[in-house]
Amino acid sequence: MELVKVGVIGIGNMGSSHVQLLDKGQIEGAMLTAICSSNESRIEWVKSHTKGNVQIFGDEETFFNESGIDAVLIATPHYSHPELAKKAFAKGIHVLIEKPAGVYTKNVLEMNEAAKVNGKVFGIMYNQRANPLYQKLHDLIHSGELGEMKRTNWIVTDIYRSQSYYDSSKWRATWKGEGGGVLLNQALHHLDIWQWTTGYMPNRIRATSSVGKYHDIEVEDDITAYVEYDNGATGVFITSTGEAPGTNRFEIIGDRGKIVVENEELTFYQLTQSEREFNKAYKGGFGQPEWKKIDIPVKSENANHPMIIQNWIDSIRKGSPLLAPGEEGVKALDIANAMYLSSWLNETVELPVDPNYYFEKLQEKISTSTFEKKNVTNTLLNVKGTH
């Protein structure tokens, strides 16, 4: 395929950015040919910010049936991602979805099955997988240099959000509109990087979350989770949108040392021998294994959305491997669902979460909600890197 005809559905914060990237020709081998939005103000924005040869559709059925696109970038609110992706696959259209893959794993698993059956190129906007910092971390761990993982610890509180952010639209920070708070919107990238770099999914989670601790919202803006892995390793994940100045520190401890990612720097505290081997052989009481500190030169780049789109287009045109396959979106979502469920039930939850049970519990949250937003501004935000 010489040139991929791309459509964008959803022209909000992220969709607008994608429209501009494609319209300006910044994605090699791709051409923006259609958009879909039911919002008249966003349609007017497209008309005034594109070259004028973009088809505009107001409803998704006509968009998928008549646009003639080869591929679609889905940037609509969270709940709609799986259904729109399934419609696209049914029409033989390649798909790139914004994160999260969905709100609950039940329909995300159905989406993954539809992708498998139709055989189209399916990606997800996990742009942090294109960050050289995390790519290097991934390669270090998977090379075996760190040895078997013993513990992980990630504090992610540098994602502060003000009340005005949550007031920017009616659907934000509600169970019905967004399906969650900091876990689904800001920290999902970190949940993905957590499992992708280490190669480990937790098998048990115990979490506590605080609903509206720092903001007038009905979903969580602060969460602490303890996890266990099937090899006996443990981990802690802490995130919040209510702390300033925030921290972003990721530690991974293995039997051959420790890796720390902080302040966009990567440091490897490498043992000269396995801690397990030293433990068995050493007879001197208070000694410990020798280690050396290695500062690994790597530049962090956070705004990698164009790289994920380019990678997706290249996969369509050339068959190159995807950095962020859409099917893998269910992994971080399963972790998030488990954290929510553990907090709601006040008990430890095993993974994978029962998709039907989680769906039922989420519907209870929605149906019993009495929360009303007081000050909705309907403001389009200038978003950098996360939602």
Side-chain angles (χ1 to χ4, degrees):
M1 185 179 293
E2 289 299 316
L3 200 62
V4 181
K5 293 179 287 185
V6 180
V8 177
I9 182 167
I11 315 299
N13 293 318
M14 298 311 303
S16 300
S17 174
H18 303 329
V19 163
Q20 291 187 317
L21 280 171
L22 290 160
D23 187 63
K24 292 177 180 178
Q26 295 178 352
I27 306 300
E28 182 182 351
M31 177 175 63
L32 178 69
T33 60
I35 69 98
C36 181
S37 176
S38 59
N39 186 320
E40 286 298 327
S41 66
R42 300 312 301 151
I43 289 175
E44 290 303 313
W45 179 89
V46 170
K47 290 178 179 178
S48 62
H49 286 78
T50 59
K51 297 170 184 175
N53 56 352
V54 177
Q55 302 175 81
I56 296 175
F57 297 89
D59 71 277
E60 61 196 52
E61 295 299 332
T62 309
F63 172 70
F64 285 124
N65 289 327
E66 301 181 10
S67 64
I69 57 175
D70 304 308
V72 64
L73 207 162
I74 298 172
T76 51
H78 302 164
Y79 277 100
S80 61
H81 293 177
E83 291 306 313
L84 290 173
K86 286 191 289 184
K87 287 182 178 181
F89 291 134
K91 296 294 180 181
I93 296 170
H94 304 285
V95 174
L96 176 62
I97 55 171
E98 270 293 342
K99 62 84 183 165
V103 174
Y104 47 90
T105 59
K106 178 180 170 66
N107 62 353
V108 169
L109 291 169
E110 293 170 357
M111 173 180 65
N112 286 356
E113 183 59 30
K116 180 180 178 182
V117 169
N118 287 278
K120 295 301 172 182
V121 177
F122 178 32
I124 186 169
M125 188 56 78
Y126 279 149
N127 59 293
Q128 286 303 310
R129 289 196 185 190
N131 187 334
L133 182 71
Y134 294 125
Q135 289 186 336
K136 184 62 178 178
L137 175 63
H138 173 277
D139 292 347
L140 268 175
I141 294 173
H142 285 255
S143 71
E145 289 189 62
L146 188 63
E148 185 175 8
M149 191 176 75
K150 298 168 71 175
R151 182 174 64 82
T152 67
N153 181 59
W154 204 343
I155 302 173
V156 186
T157 58
D158 63 338
I159 44 179
Y160 182 83
R161 294 294 186 271
S162 67
Q163 184 63 42
S164 62
Y165 164 84
Y166 292 108
D167 292 342
S168 66
S169 63
K170 186 177 181 180
W171 64 276
R172 274 197 191 283
T174 63
W175 292 116
K176 183 178 181 180
E178 196 165 19
V182 61
L183 273 184
L184 274 194
N185 219 341
Q186 288 79 35
L188 200 77
H189 283 297
H190 304 87
L191 294 182
D192 175 62
I193 292 297
W194 193 20
Q195 63 82 25
W196 178 68
T197 56
T198 62
Y200 284 83
M201 279 284 289
N203 61 357
R204 303 178 81 230
I205 288 179
R206 183 69 171 89
T208 58
S209 67
S210 298
V211 169
K213 184 176 183 178
Y214 300 113
H215 308 89
D216 183 20
I217 56 177
E218 73 167 347
V219 294
E220 87 292 347
D221 55 6
D222 188 273
I223 194 159
T224 298
Y226 164 78
V227 306
E228 296 176 358
Y229 299 92
D230 59 10
N231 74 331
T234 60
V236 176
F237 188 88
I238 299 170
T239 189
S240 175
T241 56
E243 296 182 15
T247 297
N248 190 332
R249 181 180 174 91
F250 185 19
E251 294 184 0
I252 311 96
I253 292 83
D255 74 325
R256 301 196 68 88
K258 174 176 72 173
I259 298 176
V260 177
V261 182
E262 187 173 25
N263 299 323
E264 299 189 333
E265 296 178 349
L266 181 59
T267 306
F268 188 6
Y269 299 85
Q270 188 177 44
L271 299 181
T272 56
Q273 70 177 114
S274 162
E275 179 277 328
R276 293 288 78 196
E277 293 173 0
F278 176 87
N279 181 68
K280 291 178 181 178
Y282 185 70
K283 305 300 180 184
F286 286 102
Q288 61 177 308
E290 294 181 0
W291 54 272
K292 56 183 177 180
K293 179 182 177 183
I294 306 172
D295 294 315
I296 299 173
V298 60
K299 184 178 180 181
S300 178
E301 297 175 0
N302 291 305
N304 300 304
H305 298 85
M307 294 179 66
I308 295 295
I309 299 175
Q310 187 65 66
N311 173 247
W312 173 58
I313 294 296
D314 289 345
S315 184
I316 294 170
R317 295 177 66 223
K318 307 172 185 177
S320 51
L322 285 171
L323 182 57
E327 292 86 352
E328 294 187 10
V330 74
K331 294 180 179 180
L333 184 62
D334 195 28
I335 296 172
N337 283 182
M339 288 182 182
Y340 284 131
L341 195 58
S342 174
S343 179
W344 297 343
L345 300 176
N346 193 27
E347 63 184 41
T348 299
V349 169
E350 294 191 359
L351 282 80
V353 168
D354 182 325
N356 293 312
Y357 184 62
Y358 182 80
F359 178 75
E360 291 171 6
K361 288 299 179 182
L362 178 61
Q363 298 315 300
E364 287 179 16
K365 286 285 183 183
I366 295 170
S367 63
T368 59
S369 172
T370 59
F371 180 81
E372 291 185 14
K373 280 204 167 188
K374 300 184 178 104
N375 302 296
V376 179
T377 60
N378 292 316
T379 304
L380 192 68
L381 302 172
N382 179 19
V383 181
K384 296 181 179 179
T386 57
H387 292 201

